[in-house]
Each structure stands twice: as C-alpha cells, then as structure tokens.
Amino acid sequence: MTTEFNELLPPFGDKSSTDKSQIWIIGTRDQVIHTINEFYVKRIATDRIKFTPIVPAPFAAGKYMTVLER
C-alpha cells in the first residue's frame, strides 16, 4: 500500500461498534454462487441478503466477488 492509502486507515486498535468481520469470496461466477449457497445451507450466513451483490473483481480478470459481512 502506498502512504496515501495508509493515511486513510484508522489507527490500529481503533475499533468502532460498527466494525464487522468480512469474508470475501472470489472466483468464477459459478464458484461464487455455489459458495454463497453452501454458506447458507451450512448456516454460516443466516440470510443471502447478508452478501453484497456479485460484481466483477477489479483486481482479477474474469473473476467475480462478493463480500459477506458478519
């Protein structure tokens, strides 16, 4: 990361009550959909609405991503 990006990050240990852990799912569109369904069946995610919409991954050509916020 560049210094400009590091300055945007909060100080280490500075957690607000809104901070949540995230699980990033990256792969082909079919892999992402399969993993979302698997997380729902295994009750890792209680509702599919907890996932962000599937979007093309900006850092990997041909890959898609979603984020599960817990």
Side-chain angles (χ1 to χ4, degrees), residues 10-50:
F12 182 73
D14 182 23
K15 302 274 185 194
S16 69
S17 61
T18 60
D19 283 347
K20 297 179 182 179
S21 62
Q22 297 177 344
I23 299 172
W24 289 42
I25 302 170
I26 303 165
T28 65
R29 189 169 180 80
D30 288 339
Q31 290 170 331
V32 171
I33 292 170
H34 177 77
T35 305
I36 289 171
N37 291 334
E38 185 178 3
F39 277 26
Y40 179 71
V41 169
K42 291 182 178 181
R43 303 210 179 234
I44 295 170
T46 56
D47 194 354
R48 288 183 177 94
I49 195 75
K50 299 204 182 243

